[in-house]
Amino acid sequence: MSDLKLPSFVSAQMVADRAGVSRSAVSRTFTDGASVSEATRRKVLEAADALGYHVNHLARGLRERSNIVCLVVADMTTPIRARMVDVLTRKLQASGKITMVINTETDTESVSAALRQTLNYRADATVVLSGTPPASLIETCLANGQQVILINRDERLQGSSNLGVDNAMAGREALFLLRRAGCERLGLITSNARTASLVERETVFVEAAAAKGVQVVVTEAGPTSYESGQEAARRVFGRSEAPDGVFCVTDLLALGFMDVARQDFGLTIPDDLCVVGFDDIEQAGWASYQLTTFRQPLNPMADEVVDLLLQPQRAVSERRMIEPIPVWRRSVRPGKR
Amino acid sequence: MSDLKLPSFVSAQMVADRAGVSRSAVSRTFTDGASVSEATRRKVLEAADALGYHVNHLARGLRERSNIVCLVVADMTTPIRARMVDVLTRKLQASGKITMVINTETDTESVSAALRQTLNYRADATVVLSGTPPASLIETCLANGQQVILINRDERLQGSSNLGVDNAMAGREALFLLRRAGCERLGLITSNARTASLVERETVFVEAAAAKGVQVVVTEAGPTSYESGQEAARRVFGRSEAPDGVFCVTDLLALGFMDVARQDFGLTIPDDLCVVGFDDIEQAGWASYQLTTFRQPLNPMADEVVDLLLQPQRAVSERRMIEPIPVWRRSVRPGKR
DNA sequence: CGAAAAAATGCACTTGTGTGCAATCGCTAT
DNA sequence: ATAGCGATTGCACACAAGTGCATTTTTTCG
């Protein structure tokens, strides 16, 4: 049997022993506004430093709020999602929270499992970036005093807060831009994900066009990705009546669409074809694309999330909407040809 | 005073009361291999379900391992980092761990703060993807029985495990490819980040070239980004002796470099200029780029991390190396011009 | 100098688990 | 019927913190 002490975390008791004070004194030293004399405080800090003491937030979380926020997300490699996660973790951290990332598939089943994890770790709040959580589980979260914030998911679940961008505005504006450019045969490219957000952009665009007496050819490719955009372009330009202006419900789709349109069908953008996207991912601004699109204002959105979190828990479910910001680049002509 | 009970988490005690058994029975029901009769188990599960009970992993983590792994990462929006985080969270989750993401700047100061958070939450292990943690803090982590895994950071710290790709191989192979393509004036594009990985790719490439009697013009732009690649291209092709073959230490740099080379200087790739990158981000495979590069084998790397985590703690610090996989696309000629 | 007020300190309880140990229960074999 | 034995069960403790309350200790003021 070895005498070597296994390395393990140092507790407040050890610090207390070394400093010659009670454990309470240690606790109070690390608690804001607690009453400790300057002398003991110094002794404690010194001992803590020598031993490498760190307050155990798990134990703290047993009594009060855990300061843990769970982020449920799928498709994390997508540029827009990656940025969302980045901005959110940053802002949450800045406001004293810590983020647990739960990486799921979009299907309800695995989102359920994610939500349960959230409960296991006593997260103060759960932020859902993708996937549709079942209403029953949301209720469980709320019943446990957990806050639920859904981002860009338009399922309206009783008790959860919703936060999203104004998709309708983007749909209308996209139509306006393409018509101003003189496009006559309009197309809409979407994925088979059929998220509420994507569907809304599509329907608003199509309906606004119908109101102007213009028909829109809708093409639905595979998942929301660059490759689906490519596939959509192959399908669209293989047909007789090719569009001269398209709204892709996502930048990734747009970029794949543009590449095939130019390289496989020899089209020039914006002369032969105008393209509008949505999200404003970094790649949309790259020299090869210069895509006109709508920026999701991630910083304001993350600010809203933090704001919701810091609010005293409200019984009523809230719904906040943020305007996307049009970003004019060169994939759409500024005026008629 | 309201009689309404505040919503709060349901504890094992409540479940025990409802099921008419002791709290131990509840605990044992949710512990693998514990001794519970089928009858009580059923009663417990039923009560738990009715109340919406979820084991408190925080409390569990007080006694044994917390199953929390901290991921310290900077530059999360970079495609390669986003993928790393994605793959790691997936694999960790699959092996029963949960990931806490700590988003830091690359500066040592904020990495320190991140490491301390790691200790606060009693993470079993810390995985550092970017940024240089100070050795003293790593020691604290190790002293507390925490495992530290550094990925692609070549600082060799006593007690930590290192995991990285073979940068030397990439440097040599890049040179081989460019020379086989008949390139005569070689360039190397790097950023001012001066990470160990980037530096190694650079020096190996330059030295291997020197061994063949070829000089390499090294250009160092700003941070590791698309824009820095663009800037580097403007500098490089503004000079008299422009290169006809370059190795960019990162795909992002390479893509920016390619765009400016083609659009601002009218060069054709790979006829006038051959380009090799590193990382194999999704965009490298896009039709507009078709970049020849080296894939970081993320899945095997994540497997290694999980493997290291499941190993019983070893006193000796380990160092594992993974071979990057060459990906041949069209940015380099297959043979001499 | 002494009483009263204020500040500091320690005890003990709380949070929700897992688990060693002892007691109990149920069943079998003699 | 009863001893013997293994499977259950419950008690009590440990984990690491925060905090109300009572008890010192210190400070202040008359």
Side-chain angles (χ1 to χ4, degrees):
Chain A
M1 200 71 80
S2 155
D3 276 332
L4 254 169
K5 198 168 71 61
L6 271 186
S8 90
F9 285 92
V10 8
S11 71
Q13 186 60 64
M14 301 184 203
V15 177
D17 291 348
R18 188 179 225 266
V21 298
S22 80
R23 198 187 56 71
S24 308
V26 178
S27 180
R28 286 194 240 268
T29 300
F30 292 99
T31 308
D32 270 2
S35 167
V36 214
S37 74
E38 196 47 43
T40 45
R41 170 187 211 80
R42 243 205 359 268
K43 279 192 292 184
V44 168
L45 286 179
E46 194 177 317
D49 197 51
L51 295 175
Y53 170 72
H54 293 261
V55 177
N56 187 337
H57 282 28
L58 265 46
R60 170 186 283 176
L62 272 188
R63 312 191 80 249
E64 34 201 286
R65 294 208 323 290
S66 65
N67 281 331
I68 296 176
V69 174
C70 277
L71 211 57
V72 177
V73 55
D75 288 334
M76 227 170 99
T77 52
T78 287
I80 188 69
R81 287 277 154 63
R83 294 208 47 190
M84 278 184 170
V85 173
D86 177 56
V87 172
L88 270 171
T89 49
R90 275 214 148 65
K91 300 251 177 192
L92 287 173
Q93 234 168 270
S95 71
K97 310 280 179 189
I98 187 97
T99 311
M100 274 188 171
V101 170
I102 303 190
N103 197 338
T104 96
E105 308 298 322
T106 30
D107 67 298
T108 305
E109 190 48 52
S110 69
V111 174
S112 291
L115 264 287
R116 260 186 286 272
Q117 278 277 14
T118 272
L119 291 166
N120 283 334
Y121 280 99
R122 293 318 189 239
D124 296 339
T126 299
V127 179
V128 180
L129 288 185
S130 16
T132 308
S136 62
L137 256 184
I138 298 276
E139 273 165 32
T140 307
C141 288
L142 294 165
N144 283 334
Q146 199 174 83
Q147 221 171 335
V148 179
I149 302 179
L150 304 175
I151 296 193
N152 280 344
R153 334 252 86 227
D154 286 332
E155 307 82 17
R156 200 83 91 286
L157 294 173
Q158 187 55 30
S160 66
S161 305
N162 282 63
L163 181 62
V165 293
D166 187 347
N167 293 298
M169 179 274 216
R172 281 191 304 269
E173 182 78 7
L175 179 75
F176 171 76
L177 288 175
L178 292 176
R179 278 177 46 92
R180 190 181 62 181
C183 298
E184 285 162 358
R185 298 178 309 284
L186 298 183
L188 182 129
I189 312 297
T190 187
S191 78
N192 63 10
R194 311 227 53 83
T195 310
S197 298
L198 302 187
V199 170
E200 193 177 7
R201 282 172 222 156
E202 169 185 339
T203 53
V204 169
F205 182 80
V206 169
E207 281 167 14
K212 299 280 183 187
V214 185
Q215 262 243 303
V216 175
V217 178
V218 175
T219 308
E220 180 182 313
T224 314
S225 66
Y226 173 87
E227 286 77 15
S228 294
Q230 292 186 298
E231 192 209 316
R234 284 190 209 102
R235 291 226 299 265
V236 162
F237 296 112
R239 288 197 285 259
S240 50
E241 279 266 308
D244 59 352
V246 299
F247 176 33
C248 301
V249 295
T250 269
D251 279 359
L252 267 187
L253 289 171
L255 303 184
F257 190 88
M258 288 171 81
D259 274 346
V260 167
R262 286 188 294 205
Q263 296 181 25
D264 295 2
F265 294 92
L267 299 176
T268 303
I269 295 171
D271 302 332
D272 307 326
L273 173 71
C274 293
V275 182
V276 178
F278 190 96
D279 278 347
D280 193 31
I281 60 180
E282 297 92 337
Q283 290 76 19
W286 286 6
S288 286
Y289 300 102
Q290 287 295 317
L291 176 66
T292 290
T293 184
F294 297 89
R295 175 176 306 155
Q296 295 215 44
L298 298 179
N299 275 302
M301 287 171 76
D303 286 336
E304 287 285 345
V305 169
V306 171
D307 186 57
L308 283 169
L309 254 45
L310 297 184
Q311 298 272 341
Q313 191 86 332
R314 357 182 121 205
V316 52
S317 56
E318 204 158 340
R319 171 159 184 72
R320 300 194 187 177
M321 177 94 90
I322 297 195
E323 294 280 291
I325 301 160
V327 180
W328 294 284
R329 296 209 186 86
R330 289 203 288 274
S331 66
V332 176
R333 287 185 300 274
K336 297 203 191 284
R337 182 161 26 189
Chain B
M1 197 71 81
S2 156
D3 276 329
L4 254 170
K5 198 169 69 61
L6 271 185
S8 92
F9 286 93
V10 8
S11 70
Q13 185 61 63
M14 302 186 204
V15 177
D17 291 348
R18 186 179 227 266
V21 298
S22 80
R23 198 187 53 72
S24 308
V26 178
S27 180
R28 285 192 239 268
T29 300
F30 292 99
T31 308
D32 270 1
S35 167
V36 214
S37 73
E38 196 47 44
T40 46
R41 168 186 213 83
R42 241 204 1 266
K43 278 192 291 182
V44 167
L45 286 179
E46 193 178 316
D49 197 52
L51 296 175
Y53 170 72
H54 293 262
V55 176
N56 187 337
H57 282 27
L58 265 43
R60 170 186 283 175
L62 272 187
R63 314 192 77 252
E64 37 200 278
R65 294 206 324 290
S66 65
N67 281 329
I68 295 175
V69 175
C70 275
L71 211 57
V72 177
V73 56
D75 288 334
M76 225 171 103
T77 52
T78 286
I80 187 71
R81 288 276 155 65
R83 293 207 48 189
M84 278 183 169
V85 173
D86 177 56
V87 173
L88 271 171
T89 50
R90 277 217 147 66
K91 299 248 178 194
L92 287 173
Q93 235 168 267
S95 71
K97 310 280 180 190
I98 186 96
T99 311
M100 275 189 169
V101 170
I102 302 191
N103 197 338
T104 96
E105 309 296 323
T106 30
D107 68 298
T108 307
E109 190 49 51
S110 71
V111 175
S112 291
L115 262 289
R116 260 186 287 271
Q117 280 277 19
T118 271
L119 292 166
N120 283 336
Y121 280 98
R122 294 317 191 241
D124 296 338
T126 298
V127 179
V128 180
L129 286 185
S130 18
T132 310
S136 63
L137 257 182
I138 297 279
E139 273 164 30
T140 308
C141 288
L142 294 165
N144 282 332
Q146 200 175 81
Q147 220 170 337
V148 178
I149 302 180
L150 304 175
I151 296 193
N152 281 344
R153 331 251 88 223
D154 285 332
E155 306 84 17
R156 201 82 93 284
L157 294 172
Q158 186 56 30
S160 67
S161 304
N162 284 63
L163 182 61
V165 294
D166 188 347
N167 293 297
M169 178 275 217
R172 281 192 302 269
E173 182 79 7
L175 179 75
F176 171 76
L177 288 176
L178 292 176
R179 278 177 47 91
R180 189 182 60 182
C183 300
E184 284 162 358
R185 300 177 309 283
L186 297 183
L188 181 129
I189 311 296
T190 186
S191 77
N192 63 11
R194 311 227 51 83
T195 310
S197 298
L198 301 187
V199 171
E200 193 178 8
R201 282 173 221 158
E202 170 185 340
T203 54
V204 169
F205 182 79
V206 170
E207 280 168 14
K212 299 280 183 187
V214 185
Q215 263 240 302
V216 175
V217 179
V218 175
T219 307
E220 181 182 312
T224 313
S225 66
Y226 173 87
E227 286 78 15
S228 294
Q230 291 186 299
E231 192 209 316
R234 285 190 208 100
R235 292 227 301 266
V236 161
F237 295 113
R239 289 199 284 260
S240 52
E241 278 266 310
D244 60 351
V246 299
F247 176 33
C248 301
V249 295
T250 269
D251 279 359
L252 268 187
L253 289 172
L255 302 184
F257 191 88
M258 288 170 81
D259 273 345
V260 166
R262 286 188 292 204
Q263 296 180 25
D264 296 3
F265 295 92
L267 299 175
T268 304
I269 295 171
D271 302 331
D272 307 325
L273 172 72
C274 293
V275 181
V276 178
F278 189 96
D279 277 346
D280 194 31
I281 60 181
E282 296 93 337
Q283 290 76 18
W286 285 6
S288 286
Y289 300 102
Q290 287 295 319
L291 176 66
T292 290
T293 185
F294 297 91
R295 174 175 308 155
Q296 294 215 44
L298 297 180
N299 274 302
M301 288 171 76
D303 286 336
E304 287 285 346
V305 169
V306 171
D307 185 58
L308 282 169
L309 254 45
L310 297 184
Q311 298 272 339
Q313 191 87 329
R314 356 183 120 203
V316 53
S317 55
E318 203 158 340
R319 173 159 183 70
R320 300 195 186 175
M321 178 93 91
I322 297 196
E323 293 279 294
I325 302 160
V327 180
W328 294 283
R329 296 208 185 88
R330 290 203 287 273
S331 66
V332 176
R333 288 186 299 273
K336 296 202 193 286
R337 183 159 30 184

